[in-house]
Amino acid sequence: MRKITIFLVLVLGSWCARSQSFQGFLADNYSGVNSVIVNPANATDSRFKTDINFIGVSGFGGNDYYGVNILDALKGDYDFDLDSKKHPSESNNGELNVDVMGPSFMFNLTEKSSLAIFTRARSFVNVNDINGNTIDEIDNDETDDFMVNEGDFNAFGQAWGELGITYARVLFNEEEHFVKGGLTLKYLQGGGSAYATGKNVSVLYDADGAGPDSGSITTTGQLTYGRYAELDNDNYDYEIPKASGFGADLGFVYEWRPHYNDYVSTNAQGETYVRKDKNKYQLKLGLSITDIGAIKYKEGQEDVYDINAANVSEDDFDNADDVSSFLNDHYNNISSKTGYKTYLPTALHFNADWSFSSKFYVNLNTDLSLVSKDKLNTSHVSNIVSLAPRFESKWFSFYLPLSVVQNIGFQMGTGLRAGPLYIGSGSVISALISDDTKGADVYAGIKIPVYQGKTKDKDGDGVIDKLDGCPKEAGPAENNGCPWGDADADGVLDNEDNCPDVAGPVENNGCPWGDADADGVLDNEDDCPDVAGPVEQQGCPDTDGDGILDKDDKCVDEPGVPENNGCPLDTDGDGVYDKDDNCPENFGTVANNGCPEVTEAVQKALNNYAKTILFETGKTTIKSASESVLNDIIAILNEYPNAKFSIEGHTDSVGSEANNMKLSEGRASSVMNYLIEKGIASGRLSVKGFGESMPKDSNATKEGRANNRRVEINLVK
């Protein structure tokens, strides 16, 4: 019966499997090919040119029955029954997981896609729903008898190898937002499996039931026992079972990159380069489903037994060749079949990674089993939530994972990556400080990482080599990092040469002199390069032939004089050239041929002066006192040299009408003669007498008669 005791103790002392191997390490952006086992999308847009893993081993385990002090347990005299803490329930569980990642590598296919190939050996043991309340009965020191009311339980263990190929590519990349996806297909090779499930099982052991030296076993219930073909053979050379299958992993990663432009370089031609050696995200979210698949054991055997039997001899159990022989000899085989399937521990993974800086991160990871622990022939993982701050750089990373694990509780661990070496544990700290540790894990591995290189600028011109047309020779960014040349060897650098392919002088910005107006004078010697002109005039025309070149002539079509910029003179500035101006020295109007026009005010002023001209009584002789008035009249007439005036005489009614007519004419003639003598052209003047015929006032009064005796000077229109 000690076989049963040892079996149960080992089962319940086995360790509860974590859902994620290499705890803490797989969140590292430099975990490389290892990270594809948790999310295939990690293969692309990585920090590696290639990554080669030699060997990595991860072991996890725990149970929810025994809690131990690890430091004490390492001592030789530790007694699990006496020194450990026990947590019995009607449904205790135990699991074990070993994950060996063998030679694997990852490399980039294109800028947006990558490929990974990995090998992996794994084993899982799951024991569920063991009645922990009856375990103490087995090792009761007061009696060798015990009774176990187990009820329903299931136990399953399997080992398998994987050959996986992962393809990942960038699905969306729009600056701040980035999405990549990946798919892994796996060939599975079964390495061995066994399972047992019980319904309403109870075991009664009577230490003396079969005699003084042999106990007896009384059992009830139903037992299903499945195993791969060679398990029952105690002496055999291990052969790989005829068991194979296929599996798959699928994953996606989203990155929020608010500072995307900090990692992008652009050259003068608009070509861009995104730095591959730097993480660009502030927040990264990952979602994946792993271990979808099954393995078919073609030669596996499954038997169902009715184990209702009393007083079976312990000696028969101890001496049986194998478990199958014992069961077939002592219990009723209800059914039997050849071949069965085992299923992988399918799980959902959610990962969120926040970047505080280029080297400090915090990672939240949740792993959820997608299969029930009651599903037969299926490995399953324990659910876990972990929070792991980390320091991360190209050659060194350090992690501090804090986790809550189903059936185990809180765990705290640490790990590091130093170049090719990675080592750690998700539980080492909590295991060392707690006296009630229900689980522990450890991992270690070695690889060859080939990282993406930093962007280089060998010539130090500010243009990275990837975008530099002349990476070994400094040049300006606007010329793609190349120095400006002189393609036409004219002494003018191409960046300043308006004609870089044709030689030309410096003073013409590297272009040869042309003859734009085709007048035979080259532009550099042509004073009028856009208008044809004779050679003797330096290429400038003189349309009006006035000796003033058109470029300097404001009256191109009319001969003029130099002092008036090629235009005819206009001395008085009235817009009428002197040659056409009847009054060249008096400002006038065009309509009056350059002469001023006599206004009503001028006319009034003339008459105001004229009526003050004094004559000898009854005579035509002008009194000398009127000379100043006449001179004022002359000044006005000289201002309007183009105007003609009529000098008109008038008298009062004293005397005969004939005498008055003659007197008015004589006085008007005296005024005209005076004006002519003083230089007024005679052609401008005419005389007319009106006598007493046009009085301005009444002749009945002295004042009226005085107003009627007058001379008027009126404009002839």
Side-chain angles (χ1 to χ4, degrees):
M1 192 59 203
R2 292 306 162 193
K3 287 185 178 180
I4 295 177
T5 302
I6 294 172
F7 173 76
L8 291 176
V9 170
L10 289 176
V11 165
L12 292 176
S14 65
W15 299 33
C16 186
R18 290 270 189 88
S19 55
Q20 187 187 104
S21 304
F22 307 99
Q23 185 75 8
F25 172 59
L26 296 186
D28 190 342
N29 289 298
Y30 293 94
S31 56
V33 67
N34 299 68
S35 66
V36 302
I37 66 175
V38 69
N39 191 328
N42 289 332
T44 196
D45 191 57
S46 72
R47 307 289 74 80
F48 295 87
K49 291 181 178 178
T50 187
D51 184 50
I52 303 171
N53 183 76
F54 282 130
I55 186 71
V57 180
S58 177
F60 306 95
N63 72 105
D64 58 1
Y65 182 80
Y66 281 116
V68 301
N69 183 309
I70 294 294
L71 294 178
D72 291 342
L74 295 176
K75 300 175 183 178
D77 58 351
Y78 189 83
D79 189 322
F80 273 87
D81 290 329
L82 299 177
D83 299 329
S84 66
K85 292 185 177 182
K86 299 177 182 178
H87 306 273
S89 73
E90 292 183 357
S91 179
N92 283 115
N93 303 278
E95 300 176 9
L96 175 68
N97 174 20
V98 176
D99 190 345
V100 179
M101 192 165 182
S104 308
F105 61 94
M106 176 180 77
F107 60 93
N108 300 313
L109 294 174
T110 67
E111 289 288 327
K112 294 186 176 181
S113 62
S114 301
L115 192 71
I117 298 176
F118 63 86
T119 60
R120 196 176 178 194
R122 304 169 68 184
S123 67
F124 268 78
V125 176
N126 297 98
V127 180
N128 305 312
D129 298 327
I130 298 298
N131 189 345
N133 292 318
T134 62
I135 292 178
D136 280 344
E137 294 291 329
I138 298 175
D139 288 326
N140 192 333
D141 292 336
E142 296 180 1
T143 176
D144 289 334
D145 299 338
F146 62 85
M147 174 68 181
V148 175
N149 290 315
E150 184 53 49
D152 295 344
F153 73 92
N154 72 76
F156 174 63
Q158 68 169 327
W160 73 95
E162 296 179 356
L163 174 61
I165 180 168
T166 300
Y167 175 76
R169 71 173 290 109
V170 175
L171 302 177
F172 182 83
N173 185 7
E174 290 295 333
E175 297 187 349
E176 288 189 8
H177 305 289
F178 175 89
V179 178
K180 59 184 177 179
L183 174 66
T184 296
L185 298 178
K186 301 186 283 190
Y187 173 76
L188 310 174
Q189 173 60 56
S193 64
Y195 56 94
T197 61
K199 294 183 178 180
N200 300 318
V201 173
S202 68
V203 178
L204 173 63
Y205 175 68
D206 183 351
D208 299 321
D213 296 322
S214 177
S216 65
I217 307 168
T218 299
T219 57
T220 63
Q222 180 178 298
L223 178 69
T224 299
Y225 176 47
R227 67 281 183 197
Y228 75 104
E230 298 295 331
L231 183 65
D232 292 331
N233 187 358
D234 286 339
N235 298 305
Y236 68 95
D237 294 328
Y238 176 78
E239 295 182 4
I240 296 177
K242 294 181 179 179
S244 61
F246 295 95
D249 304 333
L250 177 66
F252 299 92
V253 170
Y254 165 78
E255 293 184 6
W256 178 49
R257 301 173 169 183
H259 305 295
Y260 173 83
N261 287 331
D262 294 345
Y263 305 96
V264 178
S265 298
T266 305
N267 66 10
Q269 294 178 332
E271 298 173 335
T272 60
Y273 177 79
V274 181
R275 294 193 64 173
K276 298 178 181 179
D277 63 313
K278 292 292 185 180
N279 298 323
K280 305 163 193 67
Y281 66 87
Q282 186 157 0
L283 174 65
K284 178 171 71 173
L285 302 176
L287 186 68
S288 63
I289 298 177
T290 59
D291 291 326
I292 305 168
I295 301 171
K296 181 173 180 58
Y297 281 82
K298 297 180 180 179
E299 297 180 353
Q301 185 69 32
E302 179 183 282
D303 295 296
V304 181
Y305 297 94
D306 180 350
I307 60 172
N308 291 292
N311 298 319
V312 176
S313 170
E314 181 182 4
D315 288 339
D316 290 342
F317 179 80
D318 291 338
N319 296 325
D321 292 335
D322 51 58
V323 175
S324 295
S325 298
F326 173 77
L327 292 174
N328 286 322
D329 291 342
H330 296 88
Y331 303 105
N332 181 24
N333 189 324
I334 299 173
S335 66
S336 180
K337 71 174 184 178
T338 300
Y340 60 82
K341 280 186 177 181
T342 64
Y343 297 90
L344 302 186
T346 308
L348 175 69
H349 309 272
F350 173 74
N351 188 277
D353 203 44
W354 180 265
S355 170
F356 290 98
S357 68
S358 62
K359 296 189 177 186
F360 290 95
Y361 300 79
V362 63
N363 183 266
L364 174 66
N365 185 76
T366 300
D367 302 312
L368 177 66
S369 176
L370 295 182
V371 292
S372 169
K373 69 176 183 179
D374 297 325
K375 184 176 180 180
L376 302 181
N377 302 354
T378 303
S379 298
H380 65 84
V381 299
S382 294
N383 299 329
I384 180 174
V385 176
S386 66
L387 187 70
R390 75 180 184 277
F391 170 85
E392 176 183 295
S393 65
K394 180 183 289 188
W395 290 102
F396 178 80
S397 293
F398 178 79
Y399 333 108
L400 194 67
L402 311 171
S403 308
V404 177
V405 185
Q406 181 185 13
N407 297 327
I408 293 178
F410 176 76
Q411 290 188 326
M412 181 176 181
T414 187
L416 62 84
R417 174 185 56 83
L421 175 69
Y422 52 97
I423 186 170
S425 166
S427 58
V428 61
I429 296 177
S430 56
L432 292 176
I433 63 177
S434 173
D435 60 358
D436 191 17
T437 299
K438 300 185 187 71
D441 71 285
V442 67
Y443 64 85
I446 191 167
K447 59 164 53 192
I448 298 179
V450 181
Y451 301 116
Q452 294 283 3
K454 294 182 179 179
T455 54
K456 296 180 180 179
D457 181 12
K458 295 177 182 177
D459 54 16
D461 58 4
V463 182
I464 63 173
D465 292 350
K466 294 285 186 180
L467 301 177
D468 198 329
C470 305
K472 296 182 180 180
E473 191 174 6
E478 57 269 24
N479 198 38
N480 291 326
C482 290
W484 293 111
D486 183 8
D488 53 15
D490 59 2
V492 183
L493 295 180
D494 293 344
N495 62 314
E496 298 177 348
D497 197 330
N498 291 344
C499 304
D501 299 320
V502 182
V506 175
E507 55 271 23
N508 198 36
N509 297 318
C511 290
W513 293 112
D515 183 8
D517 54 13
D519 59 1
V521 183
L522 293 179
D523 292 345
N524 62 315
E525 298 176 350
D526 196 331
D527 290 343
C528 303
D530 299 319
V531 183
V535 175
E536 57 273 15
Q537 294 177 180
Q538 288 75 47
C540 289
D542 178 13
T543 303
D544 56 14
D546 58 3
I548 302 170
L549 300 179
D550 288 357
K551 67 184 183 67
D552 301 318
D553 197 333
K554 292 186 177 180
C555 300
V556 174
D557 297 320
E558 189 172 10
V561 294
E563 57 269 28
N564 198 31
N565 299 315
C567 292
L569 286 176
D570 179 13
T571 304
D572 53 16
D574 58 4
V576 181
Y577 297 128
D578 289 358
K579 65 185 181 64
D580 300 318
D581 197 335
N582 290 341
C583 305
E585 296 181 356
N586 292 82
F587 189 87
T589 63
V590 175
N592 202 31
N593 296 321
C595 289
E597 294 186 358
V598 179
T599 65
E600 290 182 4
V602 172
Q603 180 70 69
K604 186 177 180 181
L606 282 173
N607 287 327
N608 285 338
Y609 284 126
K611 72 181 181 179
T612 64
I613 301 173
L614 301 176
F615 296 91
E616 296 290 341
T617 303
K619 297 181 178 181
T620 61
T621 305
I622 300 172
K623 288 184 177 183
S624 60
S626 298
E627 287 185 7
S628 62
V629 173
L630 289 168
N631 290 336
D632 289 336
I633 292 172
I634 291 170
I636 292 174
L637 296 182
N638 284 332
E639 291 181 8
Y640 303 94
N642 201 41
K644 294 182 179 183
F645 297 91
S646 173
I647 302 173
E648 301 170 355
H650 298 271
T651 67
D652 58 21
S653 61
V654 178
S656 67
E657 183 177 348
N659 289 335
N660 287 335
M661 178 64 71
K662 183 178 180 181
L663 181 62
S664 66
E665 290 178 351
R667 287 181 174 178
S669 295
S670 295
V671 172
M672 181 184 70
N673 292 333
Y674 184 88
L675 296 177
I676 292 172
E677 289 176 0
K678 297 297 183 181
I680 302 301
S682 60
R684 297 176 58 198
L685 303 175
S686 62
V687 172
K688 192 171 184 180
F690 290 93
E692 59 186 60
S693 63
M694 297 180 67
K696 292 185 67 176
D697 211 341
S698 174
N699 285 309
T701 65
K702 182 179 180 179
E703 291 80 5
R705 289 191 296 273
N707 290 334
N708 289 333
R709 294 190 298 270
R710 68 191 186 279
V711 173
E712 293 183 356
I713 302 176
N714 292 315
L715 177 69
V716 178
K717 298 182 178 179

